[in-house]
Coordinates of all heavy atoms in Angstrom, one line a residue:
Y1380 N 73.9 52.7 80.0 CA 73.2 54.0 80.0 C 73.4 55.0 78.8 O 73.3 56.2 79.0 CB 73.8 54.7 81.4 CG 73.7 53.9 82.5 CD1 74.7 53.1 83.1 CD2 72.4 54.0 83.3 CE1 74.3 52.4 84.1 CE2 72.2 53.2 84.4 CZ 73.2 52.3 84.9 OH 73.0 51.7 86.0
G1381 N 73.5 54.2 77.7 CA 73.5 55.0 76.4 C 74.4 56.3 76.3 O 75.5 56.2 76.6
S1382 N 73.6 57.4 75.9 CA 74.4 58.8 75.7 C 74.6 59.3 77.1 O 75.4 60.2 77.1 CB 73.6 59.6 75.0 OG 72.4 60.0 75.8
K1383 N 74.1 58.7 78.2 CA 74.3 59.2 79.5 C 73.7 60.6 79.6 O 74.1 61.4 80.4 CB 75.8 59.2 80.1 CG 76.2 57.8 80.1 CD 77.8 57.7 80.0 CE 78.3 56.3 79.7 NZ 78.1 55.8 78.3
M1384 N 72.9 60.9 78.7 CA 72.1 62.2 78.6 C 70.7 62.1 78.6 O 70.2 61.1 78.2 CB 72.5 62.9 77.3 CG 74.0 63.3 77.4 SD 74.3 64.2 75.8 CE 76.0 63.7 75.5
G1385 N 69.9 63.0 79.2 CA 68.5 63.2 79.1 C 68.0 64.5 79.7 O 68.8 65.2 80.2
S1386 N 66.8 64.6 79.4 CA 66.2 65.9 80.0 C 65.7 65.6 81.4 O 64.9 64.8 81.6 CB 65.0 66.2 79.1 OG 63.9 67.0 79.7
P1387 N 66.2 66.4 82.4 CA 65.7 66.2 83.7 C 64.1 66.2 83.8 O 63.7 65.5 84.7 CB 66.3 67.3 84.5 CG 67.4 67.8 83.6 CD 67.1 67.4 82.3
E1388 N 63.6 66.9 83.0 CA 62.1 67.1 83.1 C 61.4 65.8 82.6 O 60.3 65.5 83.1 CB 61.6 68.1 82.1 CG 61.7 69.5 82.6 CD 61.1 70.5 81.5 OE1 61.4 70.5 80.3 OE2 60.2 71.2 81.8
L1389 N 62.0 64.9 81.8 CA 61.4 63.7 81.3 C 61.9 62.4 82.1 O 61.2 61.4 82.0 CB 61.7 63.6 79.8 CG 61.0 64.8 79.0 CD1 61.7 64.7 77.5 CD2 59.6 64.7 78.9
G1390 N 63.1 62.4 82.8 CA 63.5 61.4 83.5 C 64.0 60.1 82.8 O 64.1 59.1 83.5
F1391 N 64.2 60.1 81.6 CA 64.7 58.8 80.9 C 66.0 59.3 80.1 O 66.3 60.3 79.8 CB 63.7 58.2 80.0 CG 63.4 59.0 78.8 CD1 64.0 58.9 77.7 CD2 62.3 59.9 78.8 CE1 63.8 59.5 76.5 CE2 61.9 60.6 77.7 CZ 62.7 60.4 76.5
I1392 N 66.8 58.1 79.9 CA 68.2 58.3 79.2 C 67.9 58.0 77.8 O 67.4 57.1 77.4 CB 69.1 57.3 79.9 CG1 69.3 57.6 81.3 CG2 70.6 57.3 79.1 CD1 69.9 56.5 82.1
F1393 N 68.7 58.8 76.9 CA 68.7 58.5 75.5 C 69.9 57.6 75.2 O 70.9 57.6 75.7 CB 68.8 59.8 74.8 CG 67.8 60.8 74.8 CD1 67.7 61.9 75.5 CD2 66.7 60.5 73.8 CE1 66.6 62.9 75.6 CE2 65.5 61.4 73.9 CZ 65.6 62.5 74.8
N1394 N 69.6 56.9 73.9 CA 70.6 56.0 73.4 C 71.8 56.8 72.8 O 71.6 57.9 72.7 CB 69.8 55.2 72.4 CG 69.4 56.1 71.2 OD1 70.4 56.4 70.3 ND2 68.3 56.7 71.1
N1395 N 72.8 56.1 72.4 CA 73.8 56.5 71.5 C 74.0 55.7 70.5 O 75.2 55.3 70.1 CB 75.2 56.9 72.4 CG 75.9 55.6 72.8 OD1 75.1 54.5 73.2 ND2 77.1 55.5 73.1
E1396 N 73.0 55.3 69.8 CA 72.9 54.2 68.8 C 73.5 54.6 67.5 O 73.8 53.8 66.6 CB 71.4 53.8 68.7 CG 71.4 52.3 68.3 CD 71.5 51.4 69.5 OE1 71.0 51.8 70.6 OE2 72.4 50.6 69.3
M1397 N 73.7 56.0 67.2 CA 74.1 56.4 65.9 C 75.7 55.8 65.8 O 76.1 55.7 64.6 CB 74.3 57.9 65.9 CG 72.9 58.7 65.7 SD 72.1 58.3 64.2 CE 72.9 59.3 63.2
G1398 N 76.2 55.4 66.8 CA 77.6 54.7 66.9 C 77.5 53.4 66.1 O 78.6 53.0 65.9
D1399 N 76.5 52.8 65.9 CA 76.4 51.6 65.3 C 76.3 51.7 63.7 O 76.4 50.6 63.0 CB 75.1 50.8 65.5 CG 75.2 50.0 66.9 OD1 76.4 49.7 67.3 OD2 74.3 49.3 67.3
F1400 N 76.3 53.0 63.2 CA 76.6 53.2 61.8 C 78.0 53.2 61.6 O 78.9 53.5 62.4 CB 76.2 54.7 61.4 CG 74.6 54.7 61.1 CD1 73.9 55.6 61.9 CD2 74.0 54.0 60.0 CE1 72.5 55.7 61.6 CE2 72.6 54.2 59.8 CZ 71.9 55.0 60.6
N1401 N 78.5 52.9 60.1 CA 79.8 53.0 59.8 C 80.1 54.6 59.7 O 79.5 55.3 59.0 CB 80.1 52.5 58.4 CG 79.8 50.9 58.4 OD1 79.6 50.3 59.5 ND2 79.6 50.2 57.3
P1402 N 81.1 55.0 60.5 CA 81.3 56.4 60.7 C 82.1 57.1 59.6 O 81.8 58.4 59.3 CB 82.1 56.6 62.0 CG 82.8 55.2 62.2 CD 82.0 54.2 61.4
Q1403 N 83.1 56.4 58.9 CA 83.9 57.1 57.9 C 83.6 56.4 56.7 O 84.2 55.3 56.4 CB 85.4 56.9 58.3 CG 85.8 58.0 59.2 CD 87.3 57.9 59.5 OE1 87.7 56.9 60.2 NE2 88.1 58.7 59.1
P1404 N 83.0 57.0 55.6 CA 82.8 56.3 54.3 C 84.1 55.7 53.8 O 85.0 56.5 53.6 CB 82.2 57.3 53.5 CG 81.5 58.3 54.4 CD 82.5 58.2 55.6
G1405 N 84.1 54.4 53.4 CA 85.4 54.0 52.7 C 86.5 53.5 53.5 O 87.4 53.0 53.0
I1406 N 86.3 53.8 54.9 CA 87.6 53.5 55.6 C 87.3 52.2 56.5 O 86.6 52.3 57.4 CB 87.9 54.7 56.7 CG1 88.0 56.0 55.9 CG2 89.1 54.4 57.4 CD1 89.3 56.2 55.1
T1407 N 88.1 51.2 56.2 CA 88.0 50.0 56.9 C 89.4 49.7 57.5 O 90.4 49.8 56.8 CB 87.6 48.7 56.1 OG1 86.3 49.1 55.7 CG2 87.7 47.5 56.8
K1408 N 89.5 49.4 58.8 CA 90.7 49.4 59.4 C 91.0 48.0 60.1 O 89.9 47.3 60.4 CB 90.9 50.5 60.5 CG 90.8 51.8 60.0 CD 91.0 52.7 61.2 CE 90.8 54.2 60.7 NZ 90.7 55.1 61.9
T1409 N 92.2 47.7 60.5 CA 92.3 46.3 61.1 C 91.8 46.2 62.5 O 91.5 45.2 63.1 CB 93.9 45.9 61.2 OG1 94.6 47.1 61.9 CG2 94.5 45.5 60.0
N1410 N 91.6 47.5 63.1 CA 91.0 47.4 64.5 C 89.5 47.1 64.4 O 88.9 46.9 65.5 CB 91.2 48.8 65.2 CG 90.3 49.9 64.7 OD1 89.6 49.8 63.7 ND2 90.6 51.2 65.2
G1411 N 89.0 47.1 63.1 CA 87.6 46.6 63.0 C 86.6 47.7 62.6 O 85.6 47.4 62.2
Q1412 N 87.1 49.0 62.5 CA 86.2 50.0 62.1 C 85.9 49.7 60.6 O 86.9 49.6 59.7 CB 86.8 51.5 62.2 CG 85.9 52.6 61.6 CD 86.6 53.9 61.8 OE1 87.2 54.2 62.7 NE2 86.5 54.6 60.7
I1413 N 84.7 49.8 60.1 CA 84.4 49.6 58.8 C 83.8 50.7 58.0 O 83.2 51.6 58.9 CB 83.6 48.2 58.5 CG1 82.4 48.4 59.0 CG2 84.5 47.0 58.8 CD1 81.4 47.3 58.5
G1414 N 83.9 50.7 56.6 CA 83.4 52.0 56.0 C 82.5 51.5 54.9 O 82.4 52.4 53.9
T1415 N 82.0 50.3 54.8 CA 81.2 49.9 53.7 C 79.9 50.7 53.6 O 79.4 51.2 54.6 CB 80.9 48.4 53.7 OG1 80.3 48.2 55.0 CG2 82.1 47.7 53.6
A1416 N 79.5 50.7 52.4 CA 78.1 51.6 52.0 C 76.8 51.1 52.6 O 76.1 52.0 53.0 CB 78.0 51.6 50.5
P1417 N 76.6 49.9 52.8 CA 75.2 49.6 53.3 C 74.9 50.2 54.7 O 73.8 50.3 55.0 CB 75.2 48.0 53.3 CG 76.3 47.5 52.5 CD 77.3 48.6 52.5

Side-chain angles (χ1 to χ4, degrees):
Y1380 299 94
S1382 63
K1383 300 159 191 78
M1384 294 178 211
S1386 154
E1388 282 184 300
L1389 296 170
F1391 68 88
I1392 301 166
F1393 285 106
N1394 68 83
N1395 62 330
E1396 217 71 51
M1397 293 292 284
D1399 272 356
F1400 279 116
N1401 298 346
Q1403 270 179 299
I1406 308 287
T1407 293
K1408 300 181 181 172
T1409 47
N1410 74 1
Q1412 179 185 312
I1413 63 162
T1415 52

